[in-house]
Every structure is written in C-alpha cells, then in structure tokens.
Amino acid sequence: MDEESRACLAATLLTSHFSPEVAVRLQEQRRLHGEAFDYSVALDHSVGEQVRVSDVMGPGSYQPAARSQGFRRSIVMHYDHRCALCGIRIVTPEGQTAVDAAHIVPWSVSRNDDIRNGMALCKLCHWAFDRGMMSISDSYTVVLSRNLSSDNNAAGLLGVLTGRRLVGPLANELWPHRDNLAWHRKQYGFT
Ligand SMILES: [Zn+2]
C-alpha cells in the first residue's frame, strides 16, 4: 500500500528475475501505466472547466502513449464498456472489451481529450462514426447518413439504430458536449 515500498519491491523483482534488457522495458511499461493512470485522473478532475485539457495540462507533459491509454481508461470506465450508439457490451474473461475510446472531434483537429469530447464505441460504430455514416442529434439520438443505405450497402445492425437514444455515462455532466456533436454533424453534412 506504500508507494516507496512498492517501488522498492518492483525494482528488486526486476533485477533478480529478469535480464537487464527486459527489466528496462518492464520499468518503462510500469512508468507508462502510472502516467496513464495519472492522466485519466486529471481528465476526470478537469470536467466542466470549459477549457481544453491540453491547455490545462500543457501539451507534451505526457507521453502520447500515456495520454492515449489514460483517455481510453477514463472513457471505457465511464461508459461501463458499453457502445454509446448500439448498446453492445462485451468483456472477455480476460477483461478485454469490445469498445474503443473514440474522439467526437478528432484529436488531430481539437487536441481535446475532455471526456465530453469522447464516447465508448464498438469497432463497427467507431468506424461508421469516424466516416460520417452515423452522427448524434442535439437531443442525443442516433442519426444515420443516407449513404449508409445507398446501393449495394447492407447496413445490418446499424440500419435499425436511427432514433435510438445515446447510452451515456451515469453522470450527466460527462455526456458529450453539444458543441462537439454539432461539429461532427456539420463536418459530415447532417442537417
Ligand atoms: Zn456499437
């Protein structure tokens, strides 16, 4: 339970059970997980501040891998492994989940890891959302692009999702921000 003792124990195990090369890699992994955990806690604390997380925390203060892992940790936890659009929730006995942590306004555009710029989405919904085949209305219902049902497409499960209410986090203040949803609809020509 004590951070100092834990670090000492980890160092002893690494030097006594692993080759120096492997020990270095494991140490780096440990540091990355710790940084990702810190980042996810910081994300949870920054909700509602109406500012970009990257501004608050300073870009570059976290390794990209830790940022990505921390964002994923927060989003998947708040959505309880459930896809916001289709509602699928599958976790393997090993704890692997069917959902990704998706950005609504992409990170490359927004540099925004605010939880309200994210959703947990299954692989198919993530793919379709990122390509503008699906979006979300101002009243948090699923809207589908006409392109989804164009000639030769068979939308399957996605085709029946229109009008379905978003499955969001328990806490209302963590639901997607309407400005982010509006950006996505505009970007992909939803009216
Ligand atoms: Zn889905």
Side-chain angles (χ1 to χ4, degrees):
M1 299 296 287
D2 176 68
E3 172 58 32
E4 204 175 317
S5 309
R6 206 163 49 233
C8 181
L9 178 61
T12 306
L13 286 172
L14 285 172
T15 50
S16 60
H17 286 69
F18 298 94
S19 68
E21 299 76 30
V22 174
V24 166
R25 286 211 300 278
L26 289 173
Q27 193 68 276
E28 173 57 24
Q29 279 292 319
R30 185 169 185 270
R31 208 171 63 79
L32 180 66
H33 289 318
E35 211 176 292
F37 180 82
D38 291 346
Y39 188 67
S40 70
V41 171
L43 288 179
D44 285 355
H45 288 159
S46 66
V47 169
E49 291 181 9
Q50 303 292 338
V51 286
R52 289 179 177 184
V53 170
S54 56
D55 293 340
V56 180
M57 306 178 61
S61 60
Y62 286 85
Q63 310 178 59
R67 185 193 63 71
S68 173
Q69 193 175 312
F71 178 71
R72 176 183 168 78
R73 182 182 182 279
S74 269
I75 293 290
V76 170
M77 180 181 70
H78 288 302
Y79 282 78
D80 189 29
H81 300 271
R82 195 175 298 279
C83 175
L85 297 182
C86 73
I88 273 182
R89 182 187 194 280
I90 304 172
V91 182
T92 68
E94 293 76 29
Q96 291 176 320
T97 183
V99 293
D100 299 331
H103 286 91
I104 299 169
V105 184
W107 168 261
S108 58
V109 174
S110 64
R111 296 286 188 271
N112 184 359
D113 273 344
D114 189 321
I115 290 167
R116 297 164 305 164
N117 188 38
M119 291 184 295
L121 295 180
C122 74
K123 311 292 182 197
L124 181 57
C125 289
H126 193 176
W127 182 89
F129 185 80
D130 278 357
R131 283 153 188 81
M133 290 286 160
M134 317 168 73
S135 197
I136 300 166
S137 74
D138 219 22
S139 51
Y140 294 114
T141 56
V142 176
V143 285
L144 301 180
S145 163
R146 277 191 299 275
N147 297 329
L148 192 64
S149 51
S150 64
D151 291 350
N152 298 324
N153 279 349
L157 168 72
L158 299 189
V160 302
L161 295 180
T162 188
R164 181 191 165 96
R165 180 143 172 95
L166 185 98
V167 188
L170 272 181
N172 284 338
E173 66 269 23
L174 299 180
W175 279 53
H177 197 292
R178 285 193 166 86
D179 288 352
N180 298 329
L181 298 178
W183 181 94
H184 187 269
R185 290 196 303 273
K186 185 161 182 243
Q187 177 73 8
Y188 292 104
F190 288 88
T191 51

Coordinates of all heavy atoms in Angstrom, one line a residue, residues 75-146:
I75 N -12.7 6.9 -20.5 CA -13.9 6.8 -21.4 C -14.5 5.4 -21.2 O -15.8 5.3 -20.9 CB -13.6 7.0 -22.9 CG1 -13.2 8.4 -23.1 CG2 -14.7 6.6 -23.8 CD1 -14.3 9.4 -23.0
V76 N -13.7 4.3 -21.2 CA -14.3 3.0 -21.1 C -14.9 2.8 -19.7 O -16.0 2.2 -19.6 CB -13.2 1.9 -21.4 CG1 -13.7 0.5 -21.1 CG2 -12.8 2.0 -22.9
M77 N -14.3 3.4 -18.7 CA -14.8 3.2 -17.4 C -16.2 4.0 -17.3 O -17.2 3.4 -16.8 CB -13.8 3.8 -16.4 CG -14.3 3.7 -14.9 SD -13.0 4.4 -13.8 CE -13.1 6.2 -14.3
H78 N -16.2 5.2 -17.7 CA -17.5 6.0 -17.6 C -18.6 5.4 -18.4 O -19.8 5.6 -18.0 CB -17.2 7.5 -17.9 CG -16.4 8.2 -16.9 ND1 -16.8 8.2 -15.5 CD2 -15.2 8.8 -16.9 CE1 -15.9 8.9 -14.9 NE2 -14.9 9.2 -15.7
Y79 N -18.3 4.8 -19.5 CA -19.4 4.2 -20.3 C -19.6 2.7 -20.0 O -20.4 2.0 -20.6 CB -19.0 4.3 -21.8 CG -19.3 5.7 -22.4 CD1 -18.4 6.8 -22.1 CD2 -20.5 6.0 -23.1 CE1 -18.7 8.1 -22.6 CE2 -20.7 7.3 -23.6 CZ -19.8 8.3 -23.3 OH -20.1 9.6 -23.8
D80 N -18.9 2.3 -19.0 CA -19.0 0.9 -18.5 C -18.9 -0.1 -19.6 O -19.8 -1.1 -19.7 CB -20.3 0.8 -17.7 CG -20.4 -0.6 -17.0 OD1 -19.4 -1.1 -16.6 OD2 -21.6 -1.1 -16.8
H81 N -18.0 0.0 -20.5 CA -17.7 -0.9 -21.6 C -18.9 -1.0 -22.6 O -18.9 -2.0 -23.4 CB -17.4 -2.3 -21.0 CG -16.2 -2.4 -20.1 ND1 -15.0 -2.6 -20.6 CD2 -16.1 -2.2 -18.8 CE1 -14.1 -2.6 -19.6 NE2 -14.8 -2.4 -18.5
R82 N -19.8 -0.1 -22.6 CA -21.0 -0.2 -23.5 C -20.8 0.8 -24.6 O -20.5 2.0 -24.4 CB -22.2 0.2 -22.7 CG -23.5 -0.3 -23.4 CD -24.7 0.0 -22.5 NE -24.7 -0.8 -21.2 CZ -25.0 -2.1 -21.1 NH1 -25.5 -2.7 -22.2 NH2 -24.9 -2.7 -20.0
C83 N -21.2 0.3 -25.8 CA -21.1 1.2 -27.0 C -22.2 2.2 -26.9 O -23.4 1.9 -26.7 CB -21.3 0.4 -28.3 SG -21.4 1.4 -29.8
A84 N -21.9 3.5 -27.0 CA -22.8 4.6 -26.9 C -23.9 4.6 -27.9 O -25.0 5.1 -27.7 CB -22.1 5.9 -26.9
L85 N -23.6 4.0 -29.1 CA -24.6 4.1 -30.2 C -25.4 2.8 -30.3 O -26.6 3.0 -30.5 CB -23.8 4.3 -31.5 CG -23.0 5.7 -31.6 CD1 -22.4 5.8 -32.9 CD2 -24.0 6.8 -31.3
C86 N -24.8 1.7 -30.3 CA -25.7 0.5 -30.5 C -25.9 -0.3 -29.2 O -26.8 -1.2 -29.1 CB -25.0 -0.5 -31.5 SG -23.6 -1.3 -30.9
G87 N -25.2 0.1 -28.1 CA -25.5 -0.5 -26.8 C -24.8 -1.9 -26.5 O -24.9 -2.4 -25.4
I88 N -24.0 -2.3 -27.5 CA -23.3 -3.6 -27.2 C -22.3 -3.5 -26.1 O -21.6 -2.4 -25.9 CB -22.5 -4.0 -28.5 CG1 -23.5 -4.8 -29.4 CG2 -21.3 -4.8 -28.2 CD1 -22.8 -5.3 -30.7
R89 N -22.3 -4.5 -25.2 CA -21.3 -4.5 -24.1 C -20.8 -6.0 -24.0 O -21.5 -6.9 -23.7 CB -22.0 -4.2 -22.8 CG -21.0 -4.2 -21.6 CD -21.7 -4.0 -20.3 NE -20.8 -3.6 -19.2 CZ -20.1 -4.5 -18.5 NH1 -20.2 -5.8 -18.8 NH2 -19.3 -4.1 -17.6
I90 N -19.5 -6.2 -24.4 CA -18.9 -7.5 -24.3 C -17.5 -7.4 -23.7 O -16.7 -6.6 -24.2 CB -18.8 -8.2 -25.7 CG1 -20.1 -8.2 -26.4 CG2 -18.2 -9.6 -25.6 CD1 -20.0 -8.7 -27.9
V91 N -17.3 -8.1 -22.6 CA -16.0 -8.1 -21.9 C -15.6 -9.6 -21.8 O -16.4 -10.4 -21.4 CB -16.0 -7.5 -20.5 CG1 -14.7 -7.5 -19.9 CG2 -16.6 -6.0 -20.6
T92 N -14.4 -9.9 -22.3 CA -13.9 -11.3 -22.3 C -13.5 -11.7 -20.8 O -13.3 -10.8 -20.0 CB -12.7 -11.5 -23.2 OG1 -11.6 -10.8 -22.6 CG2 -12.9 -11.0 -24.6
P93 N -13.4 -13.0 -20.5 CA -13.0 -13.4 -19.2 C -11.6 -12.8 -18.8 O -11.4 -12.6 -17.6 CB -12.9 -14.9 -19.3 CG -13.8 -15.3 -20.4 CD -13.7 -14.1 -21.4
E94 N -10.8 -12.4 -19.8 CA -9.5 -11.8 -19.5 C -9.6 -10.3 -19.3 O -8.6 -9.6 -19.1 CB -8.5 -12.1 -20.7 CG -8.1 -13.5 -20.9 CD -9.2 -14.4 -21.5 OE1 -10.0 -13.8 -22.3 OE2 -9.3 -15.6 -21.2
G95 N -10.8 -9.8 -19.5 CA -11.1 -8.3 -19.2 C -10.9 -7.5 -20.5 O -10.9 -6.3 -20.4
Q96 N -10.8 -8.1 -21.7 CA -10.7 -7.3 -22.9 C -12.1 -6.9 -23.3 O -13.1 -7.6 -23.2 CB -10.1 -8.1 -24.0 CG -8.6 -8.4 -23.7 CD -8.0 -9.3 -24.8 OE1 -8.6 -10.2 -25.2 NE2 -6.7 -9.0 -25.1
T97 N -12.2 -5.6 -23.8 CA -13.5 -5.0 -24.0 C -13.7 -4.9 -25.5 O -12.8 -4.7 -26.3 CB -13.6 -3.7 -23.3 OG1 -14.9 -3.1 -23.5 CG2 -12.6 -2.7 -23.8
A98 N -15.0 -4.9 -25.9 CA -15.3 -4.7 -27.4 C -15.3 -3.2 -27.8 O -15.4 -2.9 -29.0 CB -16.7 -5.3 -27.7
V99 N -15.2 -2.3 -26.8 CA -15.3 -0.9 -27.2 C -13.9 -0.2 -27.3 O -13.0 -0.6 -26.6 CB -16.2 -0.1 -26.3 CG1 -17.6 -0.5 -26.4 CG2 -15.7 -0.2 -24.8
D100 N -13.8 0.8 -28.1 CA -12.7 1.8 -28.2 C -13.1 3.1 -27.5 O -14.3 3.3 -27.3 CB -12.4 2.1 -29.6 CG -12.1 1.0 -30.5 OD1 -11.5 0.0 -30.0 OD2 -12.3 1.1 -31.7
A101 N -12.1 3.9 -27.2 CA -12.4 5.3 -26.8 C -12.3 6.1 -28.0 O -11.2 6.3 -28.5 CB -11.5 5.7 -25.7
A102 N -13.4 6.7 -28.5 CA -13.4 7.5 -29.7 C -13.5 8.9 -29.4 O -14.2 9.3 -28.4 CB -14.6 7.1 -30.6
H103 N -12.8 9.8 -30.2 CA -13.0 11.2 -30.1 C -14.2 11.6 -31.0 O -14.3 11.1 -32.0 CB -11.7 11.9 -30.5 CG -10.6 11.9 -29.5 ND1 -9.6 10.9 -29.6 CD2 -10.3 12.7 -28.5 CE1 -8.8 11.1 -28.6 NE2 -9.1 12.2 -27.9
I104 N -14.9 12.6 -30.5 CA -16.0 13.1 -31.4 C -15.4 14.1 -32.4 O -15.5 13.9 -33.6 CB -17.1 13.8 -30.5 CG1 -17.7 12.8 -29.6 CG2 -18.2 14.5 -31.4 CD1 -18.6 13.3 -28.5
V105 N -14.7 15.2 -31.9 CA -13.9 16.0 -32.8 C -12.5 15.4 -32.7 O -11.9 15.3 -31.6 CB -13.8 17.5 -32.3 CG1 -13.1 18.3 -33.3 CG2 -15.3 18.0 -32.2
P106 N -12.0 14.9 -33.8 CA -10.7 14.1 -33.7 C -9.6 14.8 -32.9 O -9.5 16.1 -33.0 CB -10.3 13.9 -35.2 CG -11.6 14.1 -35.9 CD -12.4 15.0 -35.1
W107 N -8.7 14.1 -32.3 CA -7.6 14.7 -31.6 C -6.7 15.5 -32.5 O -6.3 16.6 -32.1 CB -6.8 13.6 -30.9 CG -5.5 14.0 -30.4 CD1 -4.2 13.9 -31.0 CD2 -5.2 14.7 -29.2 NE1 -3.2 14.4 -30.3 CE2 -3.8 14.9 -29.1 CE3 -6.0 15.1 -28.1 CZ2 -3.2 15.6 -28.0 CZ3 -5.4 15.8 -27.0 CH2 -4.0 16.0 -27.0
S108 N -6.6 15.1 -33.7 CA -5.7 15.8 -34.7 C -6.3 17.2 -35.0 O -5.5 18.1 -35.3 CB -5.6 15.0 -36.0 OG -6.9 14.8 -36.5
V109 N -7.6 17.4 -34.8 CA -8.2 18.7 -35.1 C -8.3 19.5 -33.8 O -8.0 20.7 -33.7 CB -9.6 18.5 -35.7 CG1 -10.4 19.8 -35.8 CG2 -9.5 17.7 -37.0
S110 N -8.7 18.8 -32.7 CA -9.1 19.5 -31.5 C -8.1 19.5 -30.4 O -8.1 20.4 -29.5 CB -10.4 18.9 -30.9 OG -10.1 17.5 -30.5
R111 N -7.1 18.6 -30.4 CA -6.2 18.4 -29.2 C -7.0 18.4 -27.9 O -6.6 18.9 -26.9 CB -5.2 19.5 -29.2 CG -4.3 19.5 -30.4 CD -3.2 18.4 -30.2 NE -2.2 18.5 -31.2 CZ -2.2 17.9 -32.4 NH1 -3.3 17.2 -32.8 NH2 -1.2 18.0 -33.3
N112 N -8.2 17.8 -28.0 CA -9.1 17.8 -26.8 C -9.5 16.5 -26.3 O -10.2 15.7 -27.0 CB -10.4 18.6 -27.3 CG -11.4 18.8 -26.1 OD1 -11.1 18.4 -25.0 ND2 -12.5 19.4 -26.4
D113 N -8.9 16.1 -25.1 CA -9.2 14.8 -24.5 C -10.3 15.0 -23.4 O -10.5 14.1 -22.6 CB -8.0 14.3 -23.9 CG -7.1 13.4 -24.8 OD1 -7.7 13.1 -25.9 OD2 -6.0 13.2 -24.5
D114 N -11.0 16.1 -23.4 CA -12.1 16.3 -22.4 C -13.0 15.0 -22.6 O -13.3 14.6 -23.7 CB -12.9 17.5 -22.8 CG -13.9 17.9 -21.7 OD1 -14.6 17.0 -21.2 OD2 -14.0 19.1 -21.4
I115 N -13.5 14.5 -21.5 CA -14.4 13.3 -21.5 C -15.6 13.6 -22.4 O -16.1 12.7 -23.0 CB -14.7 12.9 -20.1 CG1 -13.5 12.3 -19.4 CG2 -15.8 11.8 -20.1 CD1 -13.6 12.1 -17.9
R116 N -16.0 14.9 -22.4 CA -17.2 15.3 -23.2 C -16.9 15.4 -24.7 O -17.8 15.7 -25.5 CB -17.8 16.6 -22.7 CG -18.3 16.4 -21.2 CD -18.5 17.7 -20.6 NE -17.3 18.5 -20.7 CZ -17.2 19.8 -20.5 NH1 -18.3 20.5 -20.2 NH2 -16.1 20.5 -20.6
N117 N -15.6 15.1 -25.0 CA -15.3 15.0 -26.5 C -15.0 13.5 -26.8 O -14.4 13.2 -27.8 CB -14.1 15.9 -26.8 CG -13.8 15.9 -28.3 OD1 -14.8 15.9 -29.1 ND2 -12.5 15.8 -28.7
G118 N -15.5 12.6 -26.0 CA -15.3 11.2 -26.2 C -16.5 10.4 -26.0 O -17.5 10.8 -25.4
M119 N -16.5 9.2 -26.5 CA -17.5 8.2 -26.3 C -16.9 6.8 -26.4 O -15.9 6.6 -27.2 CB -18.6 8.3 -27.4 CG -19.5 9.5 -27.5 SD -20.7 9.3 -28.8 CE -19.7 9.3 -30.2
A120 N -17.5 5.8 -25.8 CA -17.1 4.4 -26.0 C -17.9 3.9 -27.2 O -19.1 4.0 -27.2 CB -17.3 3.6 -24.7
L121 N -17.2 3.4 -28.2 CA -17.9 2.9 -29.4 C -17.3 1.5 -29.7 O -16.1 1.3 -29.7 CB -17.7 3.8 -30.6 CG -18.3 5.2 -30.5 CD1 -18.0 6.0 -31.8 CD2 -19.8 5.2 -30.2
C122 N -18.2 0.6 -30.1 CA -17.7 -0.7 -30.6 C -17.0 -0.4 -32.0 O -17.1 0.6 -32.6 CB -18.8 -1.7 -30.8 SG -19.9 -1.3 -32.2
K123 N -16.2 -1.4 -32.4 CA -15.4 -1.2 -33.6 C -16.2 -0.8 -34.8 O -15.8 0.1 -35.6 CB -14.7 -2.5 -34.0 CG -14.0 -3.3 -32.9 CD -12.8 -2.5 -32.4 CE -12.1 -3.3 -31.3 NZ -11.2 -2.4 -30.5
L124 N -17.4 -1.4 -35.0 CA -18.2 -1.0 -36.2 C -18.8 0.4 -36.1 O -18.7 1.2 -37.0 CB -19.3 -2.0 -36.4 CG -20.3 -1.8 -37.6 CD1 -19.5 -1.7 -38.9 CD2 -21.3 -2.9 -37.6
C125 N -19.3 0.7 -34.9 CA -19.9 2.1 -34.7 C -18.7 3.1 -34.8 O -18.9 4.2 -35.3 CB -20.6 2.2 -33.4 SG -22.2 1.3 -33.4
H126 N -17.6 2.8 -34.3 CA -16.4 3.7 -34.3 C -16.1 4.0 -35.8 O -15.9 5.1 -36.2 CB -15.2 3.1 -33.6 CG -14.1 4.1 -33.3 ND1 -13.0 3.7 -32.6 CD2 -13.9 5.4 -33.7 CE1 -12.2 4.8 -32.5 NE2 -12.7 5.8 -33.2
W127 N -16.0 3.0 -36.6 CA -15.6 3.1 -38.0 C -16.7 4.0 -38.7 O -16.3 4.9 -39.4 CB -15.5 1.7 -38.6 CG -15.2 1.7 -40.1 CD1 -13.9 1.7 -40.6 CD2 -16.1 1.8 -41.2 NE1 -14.0 1.7 -41.9 CE2 -15.3 1.8 -42.3 CE3 -17.4 1.8 -41.3 CZ2 -15.8 1.8 -43.6 CZ3 -18.0 1.9 -42.6 CH2 -17.2 1.9 -43.7
A128 N -18.0 3.6 -38.4 CA -19.0 4.4 -39.1 C -19.1 5.8 -38.7 O -19.4 6.7 -39.5 CB -20.4 3.6 -38.9
F129 N -18.9 6.1 -37.4 CA -19.0 7.4 -36.9 C -17.8 8.3 -37.4 O -18.0 9.4 -37.8 CB -18.9 7.4 -35.3 CG -19.1 8.7 -34.7 CD1 -20.4 9.3 -34.5 CD2 -18.0 9.5 -34.2 CE1 -20.5 10.5 -33.9 CE2 -18.2 10.7 -33.6 CZ -19.4 11.2 -33.4
D130 N -16.6 7.7 -37.5 CA -15.5 8.5 -38.0 C -15.6 8.7 -39.4 O -14.9 9.6 -39.9 CB -14.2 7.7 -37.7 CG -13.7 7.9 -36.3 OD1 -14.3 8.6 -35.5 OD2 -12.7 7.2 -35.9
R131 N -16.4 8.0 -40.2 CA -16.6 8.3 -41.6 C -17.9 9.0 -41.9 O -18.3 9.1 -43.1 CB -16.5 6.9 -42.3 CG -15.0 6.5 -42.5 CD -14.8 5.0 -42.6 NE -13.4 4.7 -42.5 CZ -12.7 4.6 -41.4 NH1 -13.3 4.8 -40.2 NH2 -11.4 4.4 -41.4
G132 N -18.6 9.5 -40.9 CA -19.8 10.2 -41.1 C -21.0 9.4 -41.6 O -21.9 10.0 -42.2
M133 N -21.0 8.1 -41.3 CA -22.1 7.3 -41.7 C -23.2 7.4 -40.6 O -24.3 7.1 -40.8 CB -21.7 5.8 -41.8 CG -20.9 5.6 -43.1 SD -21.9 5.6 -44.5 CE -20.7 5.9 -45.8
M134 N -22.8 7.8 -39.4 CA -23.7 8.0 -38.3 C -23.3 9.2 -37.5 O -22.1 9.6 -37.5 CB -23.6 6.8 -37.3 CG -23.5 5.5 -37.8 SD -23.1 4.2 -36.6 CE -24.6 4.1 -35.6
S135 N -24.3 9.9 -36.9 CA -23.9 11.0 -36.1 C -25.0 11.0 -34.9 O -25.7 10.1 -34.7 CB -23.9 12.3 -36.9 OG -23.3 13.3 -36.1
I136 N -25.0 12.1 -34.1 CA -25.8 12.2 -33.0 C -26.5 13.6 -33.0 O -25.9 14.6 -33.2 CB -25.0 12.0 -31.7 CG1 -24.3 10.6 -31.7 CG2 -25.9 12.1 -30.4 CD1 -23.3 10.5 -30.6
S137 N -27.8 13.5 -32.7 CA -28.6 14.8 -32.8 C -28.4 15.6 -31.5 O -27.8 15.1 -30.5 CB -30.1 14.5 -32.9 OG -30.6 14.0 -31.7
D138 N -28.9 16.8 -31.5 CA -28.8 17.7 -30.3 C -29.6 17.1 -29.1 O -29.3 17.4 -28.0 CB -29.4 19.0 -30.7 CG -28.6 20.2 -30.1 OD1 -27.4 19.9 -29.7 OD2 -29.2 21.3 -29.9
S139 N -30.5 16.2 -29.4 CA -31.3 15.6 -28.3 C -30.7 14.2 -28.0 O -31.4 13.3 -27.5 CB -32.8 15.5 -28.6 OG -33.0 15.0 -29.9
Y140 N -29.5 13.9 -28.4 CA -28.8 12.7 -28.1 C -29.5 11.4 -28.7 O -29.6 10.4 -28.0 CB -28.6 12.5 -26.6 CG -27.7 13.5 -26.0 CD1 -28.2 14.5 -25.1 CD2 -26.3 13.6 -26.3 CE1 -27.3 15.4 -24.5 CE2 -25.5 14.5 -25.7 CZ -26.0 15.5 -24.9 OH -25.2 16.4 -24.3
T141 N -29.9 11.5 -29.9 CA -30.4 10.3 -30.6 C -29.5 10.1 -31.8 O -28.9 11.0 -32.4 CB -31.9 10.4 -31.1 OG1 -32.0 11.6 -31.9 CG2 -32.8 10.6 -29.8
V142 N -29.5 8.8 -32.3 CA -28.6 8.4 -33.4 C -29.3 8.9 -34.7 O -30.5 8.7 -34.9 CB -28.5 6.9 -33.4 CG1 -27.7 6.4 -34.7 CG2 -27.8 6.4 -32.2
V143 N -28.5 9.5 -35.5 CA -28.9 9.8 -36.9 C -28.0 9.1 -37.9 O -26.8 9.0 -37.7 CB -28.9 11.4 -37.2 CG1 -30.1 12.0 -36.4 CG2 -27.6 12.0 -36.8
L144 N -28.6 8.6 -39.0 CA -27.9 7.9 -40.0 C -27.7 8.7 -41.2 O -28.7 9.4 -41.6 CB -28.6 6.6 -40.2 CG -28.8 5.6 -39.1 CD1 -29.5 4.3 -39.5 CD2 -27.5 5.3 -38.4
S145 N -26.6 8.5 -41.9 CA -26.4 9.1 -43.2 C -27.2 8.4 -44.3 O -27.3 7.1 -44.2 CB -24.9 9.1 -43.5 OG -24.7 9.4 -44.9
R146 N -27.6 9.1 -45.3 CA -28.3 8.4 -46.4 C -27.3 7.5 -47.1 O -27.7 6.5 -47.6 CB -28.8 9.4 -47.4 CG -30.2 10.0 -47.0 CD -30.7 10.8 -48.2 NE -29.8 12.0 -48.6 CZ -29.9 13.2 -48.0 NH1 -30.7 13.4 -47.0 NH2 -29.1 14.1 -48.4

